[in-house]
Amino acid sequence: MAKLRIDQLSQSLQGQLAPVYLVSGDETLLVQESCDAIRQAARQCGFSERQQHHVDKKFEWEQLRSSANNMSLFNDKKIIELHIDNGKPGAEGSSTICDYLQHPSDDNLLLVITPKLDSGTQRSKWVKTIEKIGCWLPIWPISANQLPRWLGQRIQQAGLKADSQAIELLSERIEGNLLAAHQE
């Protein structure tokens, strides 16, 4: 499949879902909304169960294998989420992810969520495998000059109206904090 931009996500979720999605970035709101969109599309395709794993140094990668291989009591499709807080699964994690992706099940959708990946991690085998088999959505911060346009779009999507002065004032006050902008 490919690397996606955030504006391409909703279109890519219209067709057949990829077996794996990697969502990486430091913009909490955009990462959360992207993951929510993937989960919603998966639910519409019959993925009714969700299992979450938070990967830290003590994480046992056998848990991913177990989640992938264990069938639900009701034979439901499931979303398996891996939250890798440091963005680096280590050698065992990388190997486990790559092994899983050699034969992904149609009954599972793997959603990997990480902070922004450094350039070395972006070139790692597990990321390249995800990019080849599934979709990688790197989420970039909204720059100060992009923020007014982003705010204008969000205001319009909410069914509200604001003039350019109000949008400029809001973008100055929130200082790039998208969660604060969303609350406002």
Side-chain angles (χ1 to χ4, degrees):
M1 300 225 165
K3 188 185 292 189
L4 295 174
R5 294 187 320 267
I6 196 164
D7 61 330
Q8 298 172 315
L9 179 62
S10 63
Q11 180 67 31
S12 75
L13 295 173
Q14 299 299 317
Q16 184 176 352
L17 295 178
V20 59
Y21 289 87
L22 168 59
V23 179
S24 64
D26 294 331
E27 284 292 351
T28 305
L29 176 68
L30 300 179
V31 168
Q32 181 180 2
E33 289 178 344
S34 298
C35 291
D36 287 347
I38 293 167
R39 289 183 200 109
Q40 181 179 0
R43 277 192 299 275
Q44 291 172 350
C45 291
F47 290 84
S48 57
E49 189 177 334
R50 178 178 169 204
Q51 295 180 351
Q52 296 183 63
H53 301 283
H54 293 274
V55 177
D56 58 16
K57 291 180 181 183
K58 296 178 183 178
F59 182 73
E60 295 181 18
W61 285 96
E62 187 58 37
Q63 292 179 39
L64 173 60
R65 288 184 190 97
S66 290
S67 288
N69 294 329
N70 288 343
M71 294 301 294
S72 168
L73 199 58
F74 302 105
N75 210 21
D76 293 334
K77 293 181 174 184
K78 65 185 159 197
I79 301 167
I80 302 170
E81 289 185 21
L82 286 178
H83 297 263
I84 306 175
D85 294 335
N86 67 0
K88 298 181 183 208
E92 183 183 2
S94 177
S95 174
T96 302
I97 292 169
C98 290
D99 288 348
Y100 168 80
L101 292 174
Q102 285 184 5
H103 305 287
S105 169
D106 291 339
D107 291 333
N108 296 331
L109 183 141
L110 181 61
L111 176 58
V112 182
I113 304 161
T114 70
K116 179 182 174 189
L117 299 177
D118 62 37
S119 59
T121 305
Q122 290 179 28
R123 292 188 303 271
S124 66
K125 184 176 180 181
W126 71 275
V127 172
K128 292 296 182 187
T129 303
I130 288 174
E131 196 173 2
K132 190 183 311 176
I133 294 171
C135 294
W136 174 24
L137 183 67
I139 297 179
W140 302 103
I142 305 285
S143 68
N145 59 348
Q146 294 171 323
L147 188 57
R149 192 182 95 198
W150 184 85
L151 285 170
Q153 290 172 339
R154 298 298 283 232
I155 289 169
Q156 188 177 21
Q157 288 171 355
L160 303 171
K161 293 182 182 180
D163 62 19
S164 60
Q165 290 176 329
I167 292 172
E168 283 295 326
L169 179 64
L170 185 58
S171 68
E172 288 173 13
R173 297 281 166 95
I174 62 165
E175 299 177 350
N177 183 337
L178 299 186
L179 285 172
H182 180 70
Q183 289 175 342
E184 290 298 320

PDB file of all heavy atoms in Angstrom, residues 150-174:
ATOM      1  N   TRP A 150      -6.428  25.949   8.907  1.00  0.00           N
ATOM      2  CA  TRP A 150      -6.903  24.761   9.599  1.00  0.00           C
ATOM      3  C   TRP A 150      -8.065  25.123  10.514  1.00  0.00           C
ATOM      4  O   TRP A 150      -9.087  24.428  10.541  1.00  0.00           O
ATOM      5  CB  TRP A 150      -5.753  24.134  10.391  1.00  0.00           C
ATOM      6  CG  TRP A 150      -6.104  22.852  11.076  1.00  0.00           C
ATOM      7  CD1 TRP A 150      -6.088  21.600  10.540  1.00  0.00           C
ATOM      8  CD2 TRP A 150      -6.541  22.690  12.426  1.00  0.00           C
ATOM      9  NE1 TRP A 150      -6.482  20.678  11.478  1.00  0.00           N
ATOM     10  CE2 TRP A 150      -6.769  21.317  12.649  1.00  0.00           C
ATOM     11  CE3 TRP A 150      -6.764  23.578  13.469  1.00  0.00           C
ATOM     12  CZ2 TRP A 150      -7.196  20.809  13.861  1.00  0.00           C
ATOM     13  CZ3 TRP A 150      -7.192  23.070  14.683  1.00  0.00           C
ATOM     14  CH2 TRP A 150      -7.413  21.708  14.877  1.00  0.00           C
ATOM     15  N   LEU A 151      -7.927  26.214  11.271  1.00  0.00           N
ATOM     16  CA  LEU A 151      -9.002  26.646  12.163  1.00  0.00           C
ATOM     17  C   LEU A 151     -10.263  26.998  11.380  1.00  0.00           C
ATOM     18  O   LEU A 151     -11.367  26.645  11.788  1.00  0.00           O
ATOM     19  CB  LEU A 151      -8.558  27.861  12.992  1.00  0.00           C
ATOM     20  CG  LEU A 151      -7.605  27.585  14.136  1.00  0.00           C
ATOM     21  CD1 LEU A 151      -7.058  28.891  14.700  1.00  0.00           C
ATOM     22  CD2 LEU A 151      -8.279  26.772  15.216  1.00  0.00           C
ATOM     23  N   GLY A 152     -10.094  27.692  10.262  1.00  0.00           N
ATOM     24  CA  GLY A 152     -11.236  28.055   9.423  1.00  0.00           C
ATOM     25  C   GLY A 152     -11.992  26.823   8.945  1.00  0.00           C
ATOM     26  O   GLY A 152     -13.230  26.801   8.955  1.00  0.00           O
ATOM     27  N   GLN A 153     -11.262  25.793   8.537  1.00  0.00           N
ATOM     28  CA  GLN A 153     -11.897  24.556   8.087  1.00  0.00           C
ATOM     29  C   GLN A 153     -12.641  23.878   9.225  1.00  0.00           C
ATOM     30  O   GLN A 153     -13.754  23.388   9.058  1.00  0.00           O
ATOM     31  CB  GLN A 153     -10.847  23.594   7.518  1.00  0.00           C
ATOM     32  CG  GLN A 153     -10.271  24.037   6.204  1.00  0.00           C
ATOM     33  CD  GLN A 153      -9.103  23.155   5.765  1.00  0.00           C
ATOM     34  OE1 GLN A 153      -8.478  22.477   6.571  1.00  0.00           O
ATOM     35  NE2 GLN A 153      -8.810  23.189   4.474  1.00  0.00           N
ATOM     36  N   ARG A 154     -12.024  23.842  10.399  1.00  0.00           N
ATOM     37  CA  ARG A 154     -12.659  23.202  11.554  1.00  0.00           C
ATOM     38  C   ARG A 154     -13.916  23.962  11.991  1.00  0.00           C
ATOM     39  O   ARG A 154     -14.909  23.351  12.357  1.00  0.00           O
ATOM     40  CB  ARG A 154     -11.674  23.125  12.727  1.00  0.00           C
ATOM     41  CG  ARG A 154     -10.438  22.295  12.440  1.00  0.00           C
ATOM     42  CD  ARG A 154     -10.762  20.854  12.158  1.00  0.00           C
ATOM     43  NE  ARG A 154     -11.051  20.146  13.349  1.00  0.00           N
ATOM     44  CZ  ARG A 154     -10.490  19.011  13.719  1.00  0.00           C
ATOM     45  NH1 ARG A 154      -9.588  18.447  12.962  1.00  0.00           N
ATOM     46  NH2 ARG A 154     -10.844  18.415  14.828  1.00  0.00           N
ATOM     47  N   ILE A 155     -13.852  25.275  11.956  1.00  0.00           N
ATOM     48  CA  ILE A 155     -15.014  26.090  12.322  1.00  0.00           C
ATOM     49  C   ILE A 155     -16.153  25.829  11.348  1.00  0.00           C
ATOM     50  O   ILE A 155     -17.303  25.650  11.742  1.00  0.00           O
ATOM     51  CB  ILE A 155     -14.625  27.587  12.370  1.00  0.00           C
ATOM     52  CG1 ILE A 155     -13.735  27.841  13.597  1.00  0.00           C
ATOM     53  CG2 ILE A 155     -15.850  28.489  12.378  1.00  0.00           C
ATOM     54  CD1 ILE A 155     -13.080  29.205  13.619  1.00  0.00           C
ATOM     55  N   GLN A 156     -15.816  25.765  10.072  1.00  0.00           N
ATOM     56  CA  GLN A 156     -16.827  25.503   9.039  1.00  0.00           C
ATOM     57  C   GLN A 156     -17.418  24.102   9.206  1.00  0.00           C
ATOM     58  O   GLN A 156     -18.628  23.914   9.088  1.00  0.00           O
ATOM     59  CB  GLN A 156     -16.199  25.670   7.660  1.00  0.00           C
ATOM     60  CG  GLN A 156     -17.195  25.607   6.536  1.00  0.00           C
ATOM     61  CD  GLN A 156     -16.523  25.860   5.185  1.00  0.00           C
ATOM     62  OE1 GLN A 156     -15.316  25.706   5.036  1.00  0.00           O
ATOM     63  NE2 GLN A 156     -17.321  26.242   4.213  1.00  0.00           N
ATOM     64  N   GLN A 157     -16.591  23.112   9.494  1.00  0.00           N
ATOM     65  CA  GLN A 157     -17.074  21.740   9.700  1.00  0.00           C
ATOM     66  C   GLN A 157     -18.017  21.654  10.896  1.00  0.00           C
ATOM     67  O   GLN A 157     -18.918  20.819  10.924  1.00  0.00           O
ATOM     68  CB  GLN A 157     -15.899  20.780   9.929  1.00  0.00           C
ATOM     69  CG  GLN A 157     -15.091  20.489   8.702  1.00  0.00           C
ATOM     70  CD  GLN A 157     -13.826  19.707   9.020  1.00  0.00           C
ATOM     71  OE1 GLN A 157     -13.497  19.458  10.182  1.00  0.00           O
ATOM     72  NE2 GLN A 157     -13.100  19.323   7.981  1.00  0.00           N
ATOM     73  N   ALA A 158     -17.814  22.527  11.867  1.00  0.00           N
ATOM     74  CA  ALA A 158     -18.677  22.538  13.051  1.00  0.00           C
ATOM     75  C   ALA A 158     -19.983  23.282  12.797  1.00  0.00           C
ATOM     76  O   ALA A 158     -20.829  23.371  13.675  1.00  0.00           O
ATOM     77  CB  ALA A 158     -17.940  23.165  14.225  1.00  0.00           C
ATOM     78  N   GLY A 159     -20.133  23.831  11.587  1.00  0.00           N
ATOM     79  CA  GLY A 159     -21.354  24.553  11.241  1.00  0.00           C
ATOM     80  C   GLY A 159     -21.380  25.965  11.773  1.00  0.00           C
ATOM     81  O   GLY A 159     -22.443  26.582  11.882  1.00  0.00           O
ATOM     82  N   LEU A 160     -20.210  26.498  12.090  1.00  0.00           N
ATOM     83  CA  LEU A 160     -20.101  27.855  12.615  1.00  0.00           C
ATOM     84  C   LEU A 160     -19.488  28.768  11.569  1.00  0.00           C
ATOM     85  O   LEU A 160     -18.930  28.306  10.572  1.00  0.00           O
ATOM     86  CB  LEU A 160     -19.243  27.861  13.885  1.00  0.00           C
ATOM     87  CG  LEU A 160     -19.719  26.953  15.018  1.00  0.00           C
ATOM     88  CD1 LEU A 160     -18.678  26.895  16.119  1.00  0.00           C
ATOM     89  CD2 LEU A 160     -21.047  27.448  15.572  1.00  0.00           C
ATOM     90  N   LYS A 161     -19.568  30.056  11.836  1.00  0.00           N
ATOM     91  CA  LYS A 161     -18.953  31.042  10.949  1.00  0.00           C
ATOM     92  C   LYS A 161     -18.070  31.965  11.768  1.00  0.00           C
ATOM     93  O   LYS A 161     -18.414  32.323  12.893  1.00  0.00           O
ATOM     94  CB  LYS A 161     -20.021  31.855  10.227  1.00  0.00           C
ATOM     95  CG  LYS A 161     -20.837  31.057   9.253  1.00  0.00           C
ATOM     96  CD  LYS A 161     -21.843  31.924   8.545  1.00  0.00           C
ATOM     97  CE  LYS A 161     -22.678  31.050   7.602  1.00  0.00           C
ATOM     98  NZ  LYS A 161     -23.668  31.827   6.890  1.00  0.00           N
ATOM     99  N   ALA A 162     -16.951  32.332  11.196  1.00  0.00           N
ATOM    100  CA  ALA A 162     -16.047  33.275  11.848  1.00  0.00           C
ATOM    101  C   ALA A 162     -15.338  34.063  10.763  1.00  0.00           C
ATOM    102  O   ALA A 162     -14.950  33.509   9.731  1.00  0.00           O
ATOM    103  CB  ALA A 162     -15.043  32.540  12.723  1.00  0.00           C
ATOM    104  N   ASP A 163     -15.152  35.344  11.007  1.00  0.00           N
ATOM    105  CA  ASP A 163     -14.425  36.147  10.027  1.00  0.00           C
ATOM    106  C   ASP A 163     -12.923  35.951  10.218  1.00  0.00           C
ATOM    107  O   ASP A 163     -12.473  35.324  11.182  1.00  0.00           O
ATOM    108  CB  ASP A 163     -14.829  37.621  10.110  1.00  0.00           C
ATOM    109  CG  ASP A 163     -14.503  38.270  11.452  1.00  0.00           C
ATOM    110  OD1 ASP A 163     -13.667  37.728  12.197  1.00  0.00           O
ATOM    111  OD2 ASP A 163     -15.091  39.329  11.741  1.00  0.00           O
ATOM    112  N   SER A 164     -12.152  36.477   9.311  1.00  0.00           N
ATOM    113  CA  SER A 164     -10.702  36.259   9.333  1.00  0.00           C
ATOM    114  C   SER A 164     -10.053  36.844  10.585  1.00  0.00           C
ATOM    115  O   SER A 164      -9.082  36.290  11.095  1.00  0.00           O
ATOM    116  CB  SER A 164     -10.058  36.829   8.078  1.00  0.00           C
ATOM    117  OG  SER A 164     -10.292  38.216   7.989  1.00  0.00           O
ATOM    118  N   GLN A 165     -10.600  37.964  11.108  1.00  0.00           N
ATOM    119  CA  GLN A 165     -10.029  38.556  12.328  1.00  0.00           C
ATOM    120  C   GLN A 165     -10.226  37.620  13.527  1.00  0.00           C
ATOM    121  O   GLN A 165      -9.317  37.467  14.345  1.00  0.00           O
ATOM    122  CB  GLN A 165     -10.667  39.913  12.614  1.00  0.00           C
ATOM    123  CG  GLN A 165     -10.259  40.990  11.631  1.00  0.00           C
ATOM    124  CD  GLN A 165     -10.991  42.300  11.900  1.00  0.00           C
ATOM    125  OE1 GLN A 165     -12.119  42.292  12.368  1.00  0.00           O
ATOM    126  NE2 GLN A 165     -10.312  43.408  11.598  1.00  0.00           N
ATOM    127  N   ALA A 166     -11.401  37.016  13.626  1.00  0.00           N
ATOM    128  CA  ALA A 166     -11.667  36.091  14.728  1.00  0.00           C
ATOM    129  C   ALA A 166     -10.757  34.871  14.630  1.00  0.00           C
ATOM    130  O   ALA A 166     -10.223  34.397  15.647  1.00  0.00           O
ATOM    131  CB  ALA A 166     -13.129  35.661  14.720  1.00  0.00           C
ATOM    132  N   ILE A 167     -10.546  34.388  13.425  1.00  0.00           N
ATOM    133  CA  ILE A 167      -9.674  33.219  13.227  1.00  0.00           C
ATOM    134  C   ILE A 167      -8.231  33.572  13.579  1.00  0.00           C
ATOM    135  O   ILE A 167      -7.531  32.801  14.238  1.00  0.00           O
ATOM    136  CB  ILE A 167      -9.808  32.683  11.782  1.00  0.00           C
ATOM    137  CG1 ILE A 167     -11.202  32.080  11.597  1.00  0.00           C
ATOM    138  CG2 ILE A 167      -8.724  31.658  11.477  1.00  0.00           C
ATOM    139  CD1 ILE A 167     -11.523  31.684  10.178  1.00  0.00           C
ATOM    140  N   GLU A 168      -7.775  34.747  13.166  1.00  0.00           N
ATOM    141  CA  GLU A 168      -6.413  35.190  13.489  1.00  0.00           C
ATOM    142  C   GLU A 168      -6.234  35.322  15.000  1.00  0.00           C
ATOM    143  O   GLU A 168      -5.219  34.904  15.552  1.00  0.00           O
ATOM    144  CB  GLU A 168      -6.086  36.519  12.802  1.00  0.00           C
ATOM    145  CG  GLU A 168      -5.777  36.397  11.334  1.00  0.00           C
ATOM    146  CD  GLU A 168      -4.517  35.609  11.053  1.00  0.00           C
ATOM    147  OE1 GLU A 168      -3.541  35.666  11.847  1.00  0.00           O
ATOM    148  OE2 GLU A 168      -4.486  34.903  10.027  1.00  0.00           O
ATOM    149  N   LEU A 169      -7.223  35.917  15.672  1.00  0.00           N
ATOM    150  CA  LEU A 169      -7.154  36.085  17.120  1.00  0.00           C
ATOM    151  C   LEU A 169      -7.100  34.724  17.813  1.00  0.00           C
ATOM    152  O   LEU A 169      -6.289  34.510  18.712  1.00  0.00           O
ATOM    153  CB  LEU A 169      -8.364  36.892  17.627  1.00  0.00           C
ATOM    154  CG  LEU A 169      -8.430  37.115  19.129  1.00  0.00           C
ATOM    155  CD1 LEU A 169      -7.250  37.974  19.591  1.00  0.00           C
ATOM    156  CD2 LEU A 169      -9.740  37.781  19.508  1.00  0.00           C
ATOM    157  N   LEU A 170      -7.943  33.821  17.373  1.00  0.00           N
ATOM    158  CA  LEU A 170      -7.959  32.481  17.957  1.00  0.00           C
ATOM    159  C   LEU A 170      -6.626  31.775  17.727  1.00  0.00           C
ATOM    160  O   LEU A 170      -6.083  31.152  18.648  1.00  0.00           O
ATOM    161  CB  LEU A 170      -9.113  31.661  17.369  1.00  0.00           C
ATOM    162  CG  LEU A 170      -9.352  30.286  17.963  1.00  0.00           C
ATOM    163  CD1 LEU A 170      -9.623  30.372  19.463  1.00  0.00           C
ATOM    164  CD2 LEU A 170     -10.517  29.603  17.268  1.00  0.00           C
ATOM    165  N   SER A 171      -6.070  31.873  16.538  1.00  0.00           N
ATOM    166  CA  SER A 171      -4.799  31.194  16.255  1.00  0.00           C
ATOM    167  C   SER A 171      -3.657  31.784  17.089  1.00  0.00           C
ATOM    168  O   SER A 171      -2.749  31.054  17.488  1.00  0.00           O
ATOM    169  CB  SER A 171      -4.467  31.223  14.763  1.00  0.00           C
ATOM    170  OG  SER A 171      -4.185  32.515  14.333  1.00  0.00           O
ATOM    171  N   GLU A 172      -3.717  33.074  17.387  1.00  0.00           N
ATOM    172  CA  GLU A 172      -2.696  33.683  18.252  1.00  0.00           C
ATOM    173  C   GLU A 172      -2.843  33.206  19.686  1.00  0.00           C
ATOM    174  O   GLU A 172      -1.859  32.932  20.369  1.00  0.00           O
ATOM    175  CB  GLU A 172      -2.810  35.205  18.212  1.00  0.00           C
ATOM    176  CG  GLU A 172      -2.358  35.828  16.918  1.00  0.00           C
ATOM    177  CD  GLU A 172      -2.656  37.316  16.857  1.00  0.00           C
ATOM    178  OE1 GLU A 172      -2.983  37.921  17.910  1.00  0.00           O
ATOM    179  OE2 GLU A 172      -2.572  37.877  15.752  1.00  0.00           O
ATOM    180  N   ARG A 173      -4.086  33.083  20.139  1.00  0.00           N
ATOM    181  CA  ARG A 173      -4.344  32.734  21.543  1.00  0.00           C
ATOM    182  C   ARG A 173      -4.037  31.274  21.851  1.00  0.00           C
ATOM    183  O   ARG A 173      -3.600  30.959  22.957  1.00  0.00           O
ATOM    184  CB  ARG A 173      -5.804  33.018  21.910  1.00  0.00           C
ATOM    185  CG  ARG A 173      -6.184  34.471  21.823  1.00  0.00           C
ATOM    186  CD  ARG A 173      -5.684  35.200  23.063  1.00  0.00           C
ATOM    187  NE  ARG A 173      -5.714  36.631  22.902  1.00  0.00           N
ATOM    188  CZ  ARG A 173      -6.692  37.423  23.285  1.00  0.00           C
ATOM    189  NH1 ARG A 173      -7.754  36.914  23.861  1.00  0.00           N
ATOM    190  NH2 ARG A 173      -6.604  38.722  23.110  1.00  0.00           N
ATOM    191  N   ILE A 174      -4.279  30.394  20.929  1.00  0.00           N
ATOM    192  CA  ILE A 174      -4.069  28.966  21.225  1.00  0.00           C
ATOM    193  C   ILE A 174      -2.610  28.556  21.072  1.00  0.00           C
ATOM    194  O   ILE A 174      -2.219  27.484  21.518  1.00  0.00           O
ATOM    195  CB  ILE A 174      -4.964  28.059  20.361  1.00  0.00           C
ATOM    196  CG1 ILE A 174      -4.632  28.229  18.892  1.00  0.00           C
ATOM    197  CG2 ILE A 174      -6.410  28.298  20.648  1.00  0.00           C
ATOM    198  CD1 ILE A 174      -5.201  27.144  18.032  1.00  0.00           C
TER     199      ILE A 174
END
